[in-house]
Coordinates of all heavy atoms in Angstrom, one line a residue:
S139 N 110.0 113.5 86.8 CA 109.1 112.3 86.3 C 109.7 111.9 85.0 O 110.2 112.8 84.2 CB 107.7 112.7 86.3 OG 107.2 113.0 87.6
W140 N 109.5 110.7 84.6 CA 109.9 110.2 83.3 C 109.2 108.8 83.0 O 108.8 108.1 83.8 CB 111.4 110.0 83.2 CG 112.1 109.4 84.4 CD1 112.7 109.9 85.5 CD2 112.2 107.9 84.6 NE1 113.2 109.0 86.3 CE2 112.9 107.7 85.8 CE3 111.9 106.8 83.9 CZ2 113.2 106.5 86.3 CZ3 112.1 105.5 84.4 CH2 112.9 105.4 85.6
V141 N 109.2 108.5 81.7 CA 108.7 107.3 81.1 C 109.8 106.7 80.1 O 110.3 107.4 79.3 CB 107.3 107.5 80.5 CG1 106.9 106.1 79.9 CG2 106.3 108.0 81.4
V142 N 110.0 105.4 80.3 CA 110.8 104.6 79.4 C 110.0 103.6 78.7 O 109.3 102.8 79.4 CB 112.1 104.0 80.1 CG1 112.8 103.1 79.2 CG2 113.0 105.1 80.6
W143 N 110.1 103.5 77.4 CA 109.4 102.4 76.6 C 110.5 101.5 76.1 O 111.3 101.9 75.3 CB 108.6 103.0 75.4 CG 107.4 103.8 75.8 CD1 107.4 105.2 76.2 CD2 106.1 103.4 76.0 NE1 106.2 105.5 76.5 CE2 105.3 104.5 76.4 CE3 105.4 102.1 75.8 CZ2 103.9 104.4 76.7 CZ3 104.1 102.0 76.1 CH2 103.3 103.1 76.5
T144 N 110.6 100.4 76.6 CA 111.8 99.5 76.3 C 111.6 98.9 74.9 O 110.6 98.7 74.4 CB 111.9 98.4 77.3 OG1 110.8 97.4 77.2 CG2 111.9 98.9 78.8
K145 N 112.8 98.7 74.4 CA 112.8 97.9 73.1 C 113.0 96.4 73.4 O 114.0 96.0 73.9 CB 114.1 98.4 72.3 CG 114.1 97.7 70.9 CD 115.4 98.2 70.1 CE 115.4 97.6 68.7 NZ 116.6 98.2 67.9
N146 N 111.8 95.7 73.3 CA 111.7 94.4 73.8 C 112.0 94.3 75.3 O 111.5 95.1 76.0 CB 112.6 93.4 73.0 CG 112.3 93.4 71.5 OD1 111.1 93.2 71.1 ND2 113.3 93.6 70.6
S147 N 112.9 93.4 75.7 CA 113.2 93.3 77.2 C 114.2 94.5 77.5 O 114.9 95.1 76.7 CB 113.8 92.0 77.5 OG 115.0 91.8 76.8
A148 N 114.1 94.9 78.8 CA 114.9 96.1 79.3 C 116.3 95.7 79.6 O 117.3 96.4 79.2 CB 114.3 96.6 80.5
R149 N 116.5 94.4 80.2 CA 117.8 94.0 80.6 C 118.3 92.7 79.9 O 119.2 92.1 80.4 CB 117.8 93.8 82.1 CG 117.4 95.0 83.0 CD 117.2 94.6 84.4 NE 118.3 94.0 85.0 CZ 118.3 92.7 85.4 NH1 117.2 91.9 85.2 NH2 119.4 92.2 86.0
G150 N 117.6 92.4 78.8 CA 118.0 91.3 78.0 C 118.4 91.6 76.6 O 119.0 92.6 76.4
R151 N 118.2 90.6 75.7 CA 118.6 90.8 74.3 C 117.4 91.1 73.5 O 116.2 90.8 73.8 CB 119.3 89.5 73.8 CG 120.6 89.2 74.6 CD 121.3 88.0 73.8 NE 122.5 87.6 74.5 CZ 122.6 86.5 75.3 NH1 121.5 85.7 75.3 NH2 123.7 86.2 75.9
D152 N 117.6 91.7 72.3 CA 116.5 91.9 71.4 C 116.0 90.6 70.8 O 116.8 89.6 70.9 CB 117.0 92.7 70.2 CG 117.2 94.2 70.6 OD1 116.6 94.6 71.7 OD2 117.8 95.0 69.8
G153 N 114.8 90.5 70.3 CA 114.3 89.3 69.8 C 112.9 89.1 70.3 O 112.3 90.1 70.6
K154 N 112.5 87.9 70.5 CA 111.1 87.6 71.0 C 111.1 87.7 72.5 O 110.9 86.7 73.2 CB 110.7 86.2 70.5 CG 110.5 86.2 69.0 CD 110.0 84.8 68.5 CE 109.8 84.8 66.9 NZ 109.4 83.5 66.5
T155 N 111.4 88.9 73.1 CA 111.5 89.1 74.5 C 110.6 90.3 74.8 O 110.3 91.1 74.0 CB 112.9 89.3 75.0 OG1 113.4 90.5 74.3 CG2 113.8 88.1 74.6
T156 N 110.2 90.4 76.1 CA 109.4 91.5 76.6 C 109.8 92.0 77.9 O 110.5 91.3 78.7 CB 107.9 91.1 76.6 OG1 107.8 90.0 77.7 CG2 107.3 90.6 75.4
M157 N 109.5 93.3 78.2 CA 109.5 93.8 79.5 C 108.3 93.4 80.3 O 107.2 94.0 80.1 CB 109.7 95.3 79.5 CG 110.4 95.9 80.7 SD 109.7 95.5 82.3 CE 108.1 96.3 82.2
H158 N 108.4 92.2 80.9 CA 107.1 91.5 81.3 C 106.9 91.7 82.8 O 105.9 91.1 83.4 CB 107.4 90.0 81.0 CG 106.2 89.2 81.1 ND1 105.9 88.2 82.0 CD2 105.0 89.2 80.3 CE1 104.8 87.6 81.9 NE2 104.2 88.2 80.8
A159 N 107.7 92.4 83.5 CA 107.5 92.6 85.0 C 106.2 93.3 85.3 O 105.7 94.1 84.5 CB 108.7 93.3 85.6
K160 N 105.7 93.1 86.6 CA 104.6 93.8 87.1 C 104.8 94.2 88.5 O 104.6 93.5 89.5 CB 103.3 92.9 87.1 CG 102.9 92.4 85.7 CD 103.4 91.0 85.4 CE 102.8 90.3 84.2 NZ 103.0 91.0 82.9
V161 N 105.4 95.4 88.6 CA 105.9 96.0 89.9 C 105.4 97.4 90.1 O 105.6 98.2 89.2 CB 107.4 95.9 90.0 CG1 107.8 96.4 91.4 CG2 107.9 94.5 89.9
W162 N 104.9 97.8 91.2 CA 104.6 99.1 91.6 C 105.3 99.4 92.9 O 105.1 98.6 93.9 CB 103.0 99.4 91.8 CG 102.3 99.3 90.5 CD1 102.1 98.1 89.7 CD2 101.5 100.3 89.9 NE1 101.3 98.5 88.6 CE2 101.0 99.8 88.7 CE3 101.3 101.7 90.1 CZ2 100.2 100.6 87.8 CZ3 100.6 102.5 89.3 CH2 100.0 101.9 88.1
Q163 N 105.9 100.5 93.0 CA 106.6 100.9 94.3 C 106.2 102.3 94.6 O 106.1 103.2 93.7 CB 108.1 100.8 94.2 CG 108.6 99.4 94.0 CD 110.1 99.2 94.3 OE1 110.8 99.6 93.4 NE2 110.5 98.7 95.4
F164 N 106.1 102.6 95.9 CA 105.7 103.9 96.4 C 106.7 104.3 97.5 O 106.9 103.6 98.5 CB 104.3 103.8 97.0 CG 103.2 103.4 96.1 CD1 103.0 102.0 95.9 CD2 102.4 104.2 95.5 CE1 102.1 101.5 95.0 CE2 101.4 103.8 94.6 CZ 101.2 102.4 94.3
S165 N 107.4 105.4 97.3 CA 108.3 105.8 98.3 C 107.6 106.2 99.6 O 108.2 106.1 100.7 CB 109.2 107.0 97.8 OG 108.3 108.2 97.7
R166 N 106.3 106.5 99.5 CA 105.6 106.8 100.7 C 104.1 106.7 100.3 O 103.6 107.2 99.3 CB 105.8 108.2 101.2 CG 105.2 108.6 102.5 CD 105.8 109.8 103.1 NE 105.1 110.2 104.4 CZ 105.6 111.1 105.1 NH1 106.6 111.9 104.8 NH2 105.0 111.4 106.3
V167 N 103.3 106.0 101.2 CA 101.9 106.0 101.1 C 101.3 106.3 102.5 O 101.5 105.5 103.5 CB 101.4 104.5 100.7 CG1 99.9 104.5 100.6 CG2 102.0 104.1 99.3
G168 N 100.6 107.4 102.6 CA 100.2 107.9 103.9 C 101.4 108.1 104.8 O 102.4 108.8 104.5
R169 N 101.4 107.3 105.9 CA 102.5 107.4 106.9 C 103.5 106.3 106.6 O 104.6 106.2 107.4 CB 101.9 107.2 108.3 CG 101.0 108.3 108.8 CD 100.3 107.9 110.1 NE 101.3 107.8 111.1 CZ 101.0 107.1 112.2 NH1 99.8 106.5 112.4 NH2 101.9 106.9 113.2
T170 N 103.3 105.4 105.7 CA 104.2 104.3 105.5 C 105.2 104.5 104.4 O 104.7 104.9 103.3 CB 103.3 103.0 105.2 OG1 102.3 102.8 106.2 CG2 104.3 101.8 105.3
R171 N 106.4 104.2 104.6 CA 107.5 104.4 103.6 C 107.8 103.0 102.9 O 107.7 102.0 103.5 CB 108.7 105.1 104.2 CG 108.4 106.4 104.8 CD 109.6 107.0 105.4 NE 109.3 108.3 106.2 CZ 109.3 109.5 105.7 NH1 109.5 109.6 104.4 NH2 109.0 110.5 106.4
K172 N 108.3 103.2 101.7 CA 108.9 102.1 101.0 C 108.0 100.9 100.9 O 108.2 99.8 101.4 CB 110.3 101.7 101.6 CG 111.2 102.9 101.5 CD 112.7 102.4 101.8 CE 113.7 103.5 101.5 NZ 115.1 103.1 101.8
V173 N 106.9 101.1 100.0 CA 105.9 100.1 99.8 C 106.2 99.4 98.4 O 106.4 100.2 97.4 CB 104.5 100.7 99.9 CG1 103.4 99.7 99.5 CG2 104.2 101.3 101.3
T174 N 106.1 98.1 98.4 CA 106.3 97.4 97.1 C 105.2 96.5 96.8 O 104.7 95.7 97.7 CB 107.6 96.6 97.2 OG1 108.8 97.5 97.5 CG2 107.9 95.8 95.8
M175 N 104.8 96.4 95.6 CA 103.7 95.6 95.1 C 104.1 94.8 94.0 O 104.6 95.3 93.0 CB 102.4 96.5 94.7 CG 101.1 95.7 94.6 SD 99.8 97.0 94.2 CE 98.4 96.0 94.4
I176 N 104.1 93.4 94.0 CA 104.6 92.5 93.0 C 103.6 91.5 92.8 O 103.0 91.0 93.6 CB 105.9 91.9 93.5 CG1 107.0 92.9 93.7 CG2 106.4 90.9 92.5 CD1 108.3 92.4 94.3
G177 N 103.5 91.0 91.4 CA 102.6 89.9 91.2 C 102.5 89.7 89.6 O 103.5 90.0 88.9
S178 N 101.3 89.2 89.2 CA 101.1 88.9 87.8 C 100.0 89.7 87.1 O 99.7 89.4 86.1 CB 100.6 87.4 87.8 OG 99.5 87.2 88.5
Y179 N 99.7 90.8 87.8 CA 98.5 91.6 87.2 C 99.0 92.6 86.2 O 99.8 93.5 86.4 CB 97.9 92.4 88.4 CG 96.8 93.3 88.0 CD1 95.7 92.9 87.4 CD2 97.0 94.7 88.1 CE1 94.6 93.8 87.0 CE2 96.1 95.6 87.7 CZ 94.8 95.2 87.2 OH 93.9 96.1 86.8
N180 N 98.4 92.5 84.9 CA 98.6 93.5 83.9 C 97.5 94.5 84.1 O 96.3 94.2 84.2 CB 98.5 92.9 82.6 CG 99.7 92.1 82.1 OD1 100.8 92.5 82.4 ND2 99.4 91.0 81.4
N181 N 97.9 95.8 84.3 CA 97.0 96.9 84.7 C 96.2 97.3 83.5 O 96.6 98.3 82.8 CB 97.9 98.0 85.3 CG 97.1 99.1 85.8 OD1 97.3 100.3 85.4 ND2 96.1 98.9 86.6
S182 N 95.0 96.7 83.3 CA 94.2 97.1 82.2 C 92.7 96.6 82.4 O 92.5 95.6 83.1 CB 94.6 96.5 80.9 OG 94.3 95.1 80.8
D183 N 91.8 97.3 81.8 CA 90.4 96.9 81.8 C 90.2 95.5 81.2 O 89.4 94.7 81.7 CB 89.5 97.9 81.1 CG 89.5 99.3 81.9 OD1 89.8 99.3 83.0 OD2 89.1 100.2 81.2
A184 N 90.9 95.2 80.2 CA 90.8 94.0 79.5 C 91.2 92.8 80.4 O 90.6 91.8 80.5 CB 91.6 93.9 78.2
A185 N 92.3 93.0 81.1 CA 92.8 92.0 82.1 C 91.7 91.9 83.2 O 91.4 90.7 83.7 CB 94.1 92.4 82.7
D186 N 91.2 93.0 83.7 CA 90.2 92.9 84.8 C 89.0 92.0 84.3 O 88.4 91.3 85.1 CB 89.7 94.3 85.1 CG 90.6 95.1 85.8 OD1 91.7 94.6 86.2 OD2 90.4 96.3 86.0
A187 N 88.7 92.1 83.0 CA 87.4 91.4 82.5 C 87.6 89.9 82.3 O 86.6 89.2 82.2 CB 87.0 92.0 81.2

Side-chain angles (χ1 to χ4, degrees):
S139 296
W140 46 263
V141 177
V142 172
W143 294 85
T144 68
K145 184 178 180 182
N146 298 312
S147 62
R149 298 170 56 250
R151 299 191 183 103
D152 287 347
K154 295 181 179 180
T155 60
T156 60
M157 206 305 297
H158 194 248
K160 298 98 168 57
V161 177
W162 291 66
Q163 291 193 288
F164 303 81
S165 67
R166 185 168 182 171
V167 181
R169 297 171 60 198
T170 310
R171 300 179 188 273
K172 296 191 173 183
V173 174
T174 300
M175 196 173 188
I176 296 174
S178 58
Y179 173 67
N180 285 321
N181 181 234
S182 77
D183 294 342
D186 289 349

